[in-house]
Amino acid sequence: MVVSSVASPLCTWLVAACMSVPCEKDSSMRISGFAPSKRLSKWVRRQRVVLKGGREDFPKGLISAFCGASIQGLMSSCLAFEPCEEYYSSKGLSLSPSSLSSFFGESGFSLFGWKEGTTRRQRRLVNRATSGKTMNVAVEPSKEVVKKEKPVTKQRRVVVTGMGVVTPLGHDPDVFYNNLLEGVSGISEIEAFDCSHFPTRIAGEIKNFSSDGWVAPKLSKRMDKFMLYLLTAGKKALADGGITNDVMNMLDKSKCGVLIGSAMGGMKVFNDAIEALRVSYKKMNPFCVPFATTNMGSAILAMDLKWMGPNYSISTACATSNFCILNAANHIKRNEADMMLCGGSDAAIIPIGLGGFVACRALSQRNEDPTKASRPWDVHRDGFVMGEGAGVLLLEELEHAKRRGANIYAEFLGGSFTCDAYHMTEPHPDGTGISLCIEKALSQSGVSREDVNYVNAHATSTQSGDLKEYSALIRCFGQNPKLRVNSTKSMIGHLIGAAGAVEAVATIQAIRTGWVHPNINLETPEETVDPTLLVGPKKERLDIKVALSNSFGFGGHNSSIIFVPYT
C-alpha cells in the first residue's frame, strides 16, 4: 500500500513525459533501474517500434524521456514538460498496480526493479515480449489528440477620416488643394521681421493666421507658433472627421492618441527666453522650457481632448511627419488605439531659423521673383524655400469608423523607414537608402511596384536631393509608363517637420478628387530627368490605384508611406 501511494504520482509524471518529449538519439544514454545498457542501445538502433494493432511507424530519432542517469535525472527532465492531453482525459492512463500488470504482465517487473526470485532467462523473455508494448505506451501519442492551432487574427485596417491643415495656401484642406490644382504659389517676401540684411528674404510664410475658437487666448499669448498651428490643425482634423461633442463623449479615450511631431520645436519661445535672460532670469517666460520642446504640442492637445492613448512626438528633421503617421497607424494595427491624430508642425521662419539655413547654403536667393524660387528638377534651381505650417490626419480603425458612420477619405496601407548612414545633410550618392525605403514600404504594404501610379515626391529644389530621389524612383518604378510624379513644395516651399503631413493631405486629396496638381516652375528639366514622368504645368486627371509619399530629412532619415482609395 505504501509503495503504491508513493509510486503513483511519480509514475504519472514519468509516463506523461515519455509520451510528449522528443530527444535526439544518443548512444551514451542509460536507463538506470529500468533495463541494462545493452538493452537500451539495442532499442535505440531499432528503426521501427512494434505497435499494438499494427499501427504506423514511430518517427525515427525520437526517444522517451527515460534518458536520465538516475531517478533525480528522470525527475528533473520530467518536471520540465507538461503531460499530453490524453493524460488529462477521462480515458487517460491509470497507473494503478493492476494497470501496470496489464502493461508489463505478471512478469515480476515493477517500476522499482525486478522482484526477487526472477531468473535471468525470465528477464530476457519478458524484455523481448514486452519492450514493444511498453514503448507503445511510453512514446506513442494517441491519434485522437488534436493539436490546437491559434486562431487567425484578422489584420486591423487603418483609414483616414479627417484632415486639418495650416499652410501658406490656406487653412482648409479643400481651399489648400484647390490652390495647388490652380498652380498658385504661396512663396512671398518675409514680413514677420526685418530680413533685409539676409541673402534670402523669401519664404512660404503664413500671413494672416488666427487661432481664435481653437486655442484658449491665455495659452495662445505664450505659445510658440508651431504649437498654435498644431492645435488648430489637430482640432480642424477632428471637426472634419465628424467628431462632435456627442461623438467625443462616446469614444473610449484610453484608445485615442496623439502623435504630432516637430523638427525644430519652439524656436521663437526659446530665442525670446535667451533675449530675456540678457536682462534677468526674472524676465523669462516661465513656460519657455516646456513650450520649446517638440512633444508639448501633442501633450497639450491630448490634455484638451482628454485622450489617454499613445501620446508622444517624433523628431526626424524633414521626415518627421511621415514617421509620426506610420507609427500612429501601427498603434491602431496593434490594437493599442482605435483613433490617432498624427502629423507634424513647424514655424521656423524667424531670424535664427532663416540665418541657420542660410549658413548651410541651402536656401534659394531668388528674392526678386519669389513665386519662381522653388523649382524642383529644374536646371536653374538654386536651393529650397523655407515654409511653415502644420498638417494633421485623423487615422481610425476601419470597423470603428464604420460603426460611427464616418466619411472615409482613403486607406493607409503602410510604409517604411531607412537611414542613409552617410552624411548629415547630403543624401547617399547612389540613392540606395531611398530605394531601400521605397522597396520596404511596398513589401510591408503588400503592394506591387506596377500598381503605384502616383508619387508625391520629397523634391525640395536642391541640386543633389532632387536627382538622387528621381534616380531612386526610376530604379523602383522606371518600367511603369503610367507613373506620375509631382512636388507640392514647388508652390508652398519646404515646411520642414510639417512637410510630410501637408503632402499626405495633398496625396489624399488627389485620391479623392481624381486630379493631381502641377509642378510649377519646371521650365527646363534636368537632362537626366524624363519629363514624361513628371506632371506638367497644369493639373492632370489620374485614376490613382496606389499613391506613395516620400519624405527625407537631415541625418539621412528616409520615409515612405502609402495610401490607396478605400474600397
Side-chain angles (χ1 to χ4, degrees):
M1 193 69 179
V2 174
V3 172
S4 176
S5 63
V6 172
S8 182
L10 174 62
C11 298
T12 299
W13 281 102
L14 293 180
V15 175
C18 291
M19 297 175 66
S20 60
V21 181
C23 300
E24 293 184 1
K25 191 188 307 182
D26 187 348
S27 60
S28 65
M29 291 182 179
R30 293 178 175 269
I31 303 181
S32 177
F34 288 87
S37 59
K38 291 182 180 180
R39 302 299 178 196
L40 175 61
S41 60
K42 285 184 179 181
W43 179 82
V44 170
R45 290 196 299 268
R46 290 173 61 90
Q47 299 296 314
R48 188 182 296 262
V49 175
V50 181
L51 302 180
K52 184 177 181 179
R55 285 188 270 178
E56 68 270 21
D57 296 342
F58 185 74
K60 182 180 178 181
L62 295 181
I63 111 174
S64 73
F66 290 86
C67 49
S70 63
I71 288 293
Q72 288 82 359
L74 283 168
M75 291 300 296
S76 63
S77 64
C78 292
L79 292 176
F81 303 101
E82 190 73 16
C84 68
E85 293 183 23
E86 183 178 359
Y87 166 72
Y88 288 115
S89 69
S90 59
K91 296 180 180 180
L93 298 174
S94 174
L95 297 185
S96 63
S98 59
S99 61
L100 287 174
S101 297
S102 66
F103 289 149
F104 304 113
E106 301 298 333
S107 60
F109 177 78
S110 74
L111 288 179
F112 294 97
W114 294 91
K115 294 181 180 179
E116 294 183 6
T118 307
T119 66
R120 183 176 299 177
R121 176 179 175 79
Q122 287 176 323
R123 294 180 185 182
R124 279 202 304 269
L125 291 174
V126 169
N127 283 337
R128 291 176 184 174
T130 63
S131 60
K133 192 181 298 184
T134 302
M135 296 314 299
N136 182 25
V137 172
V139 300
E140 172 64 8
S142 172
K143 278 188 169 184
E144 296 178 1
V145 177
V146 179
K147 184 179 180 181
K148 292 183 179 179
E149 296 182 358
K150 293 182 179 179
V152 178
T153 303
K154 188 176 180 181
Q155 176 71 47
R156 283 165 61 92
R157 295 170 65 184
V158 180
V159 293
V160 182
T161 56
M163 298 180 289
V165 294
V166 175
T167 77
L169 287 181
H171 311 325
D172 175 86
D174 291 333
V175 172
F176 162 68
Y177 198 64
N178 287 336
N179 282 327
L180 288 179
L181 292 178
E182 296 303 316
V184 177
S185 176
I187 311 299
S188 61
E189 292 184 1
I190 296 173
E191 299 177 1
F193 58 94
D194 180 14
C195 57
S196 58
H197 57 293
F198 286 99
T200 295
R201 299 182 293 277
I202 58 175
E205 185 182 43
I206 294 173
K207 304 298 185 184
N208 300 306
F209 171 76
S210 173
S211 60
D212 292 349
W214 302 105
V215 184
K218 184 180 293 186
L219 280 176
S220 64
K221 291 179 181 179
R222 292 178 169 178
M223 281 182 176
D224 190 276
K225 283 200 297 184
F226 101 90
M227 295 179 68
L228 295 178
Y229 295 162
L230 183 157
L231 294 173
T232 302
K235 292 185 177 181
K236 285 185 174 183
L238 283 179
D240 184 57
I243 307 298
T244 62
N245 287 334
D246 290 339
V247 174
M248 184 70 79
N249 292 333
M250 296 174 62
L251 295 176
D252 179 0
K253 294 181 176 61
S254 67
K255 298 196 73 173
C256 297
V258 184
L259 210 176
I260 306 174
S262 176
M264 311 299 286
M267 292 187 68
K268 187 175 187 306
V269 165
F270 202 74
N271 184 75
D272 291 347
I274 292 173
E275 293 299 320
L277 185 60
R278 296 179 188 276
V279 179
S280 170
Y281 73 90
K282 296 179 181 180
K283 298 292 184 181
M284 294 175 66
N285 178 356
F287 298 97
C288 67
V289 171
F291 282 1
T293 58
T294 59
N295 72 297
M296 199 53 62
S298 283
I300 289 180
L301 182 55
M303 294 174 199
D304 200 356
L305 303 175
K306 307 303 180 186
W307 283 16
M308 301 174 67
N311 186 291
Y312 56 101
S313 170
I314 295 173
S315 183
T316 49
C318 307
T320 291
S321 287
N322 277 13
F323 274 70
C324 291
I325 292 169
L326 181 50
N327 277 277
N330 287 338
H331 283 300
I332 295 174
K333 289 182 179 180
R334 294 195 297 261
N335 198 21
E336 296 164 355
D338 292 328
M339 186 179 289
M340 292 288 297
L341 285 169
C342 56
S345 178
D346 258 323
I349 304 177
I350 60 174
I352 191 173
L354 180 65
F357 281 113
V358 166
C360 289
R361 299 180 181 179
L363 298 182
S364 170
Q365 298 181 15
R366 198 183 292 264
N367 300 307
E368 296 74 20
D369 196 358
T371 61
K372 299 287 187 180
S374 185
R375 44 199 316 115
W377 300 297
D378 189 83
V379 170
H380 302 295
R381 67 194 183 281
D382 66 331
F384 77 85
V385 179
M386 289 182 69
E388 63 179 353
V392 177
L393 301 181
L394 177 62
L395 298 184
E396 196 167 351
E397 194 273 324
L398 175 60
E399 298 304 321
H400 187 275
K402 288 165 66 175
R403 282 195 297 271
R404 69 177 187 86
N407 184 20
I408 298 174
Y409 295 138
E411 182 172 359
F412 179 84
L413 282 193
S416 184
F417 317 128
T418 60
C419 181
D420 281 350
Y422 171 74
H423 191 271
M424 282 192 297
T425 58
E426 291 294 319
H428 194 282
D430 298 330
T432 52
I434 298 172
S435 299
L436 178 62
C437 184
I438 295 172
E439 290 168 359
K440 288 178 64 178
L442 296 175
S443 175
Q444 192 273 340
S445 304
V447 171
S448 65
R449 62 187 66 204
E450 293 78 14
D451 290 334
V452 178
N453 62 339
Y454 173 58
V455 175
N456 189 297
H458 179 67
T460 61
S461 189
T462 58
Q463 287 294 328
S464 59
D466 290 8
L467 295 183
K468 298 302 183 293
E469 181 182 13
Y470 177 81
S471 298
L473 292 176
I474 292 300
R475 193 176 302 141
C476 294
F477 307 111
Q479 304 304 315
N480 186 356
K482 297 182 179 179
L483 181 69
R484 309 303 291 149
V485 182
N486 63 10
S487 172
T488 305
K489 294 181 181 70
S490 64
M491 286 173 271
I492 63 173
H494 191 353
L495 274 58
I496 320 298
V502 171
E503 290 158 17
V505 171
T507 302
I508 295 164
Q509 290 286 59
I511 292 173
R512 289 183 63 204
T513 63
W515 290 95
V516 292
H517 68 70
N519 288 303
I520 69 170
N521 304 324
L522 184 57
E523 298 167 354
T524 311
E526 286 275 4
E527 291 183 1
T528 57
V529 172
D530 180 2
T532 63
L533 291 178
L534 305 178
V535 181
K538 299 291 183 180
K539 64 182 180 181
E540 297 181 12
R541 269 283 182 193
L542 184 63
D543 181 17
I544 297 175
K545 296 174 65 178
V546 179
L548 177 81
S549 182
N550 287 332
S551 284
F552 316 122
F554 282 179
H557 302 292
N558 306 310
S559 60
S560 299
I561 55 177
I562 295 175
F563 297 93
V564 296
Y566 168 66
T567 54

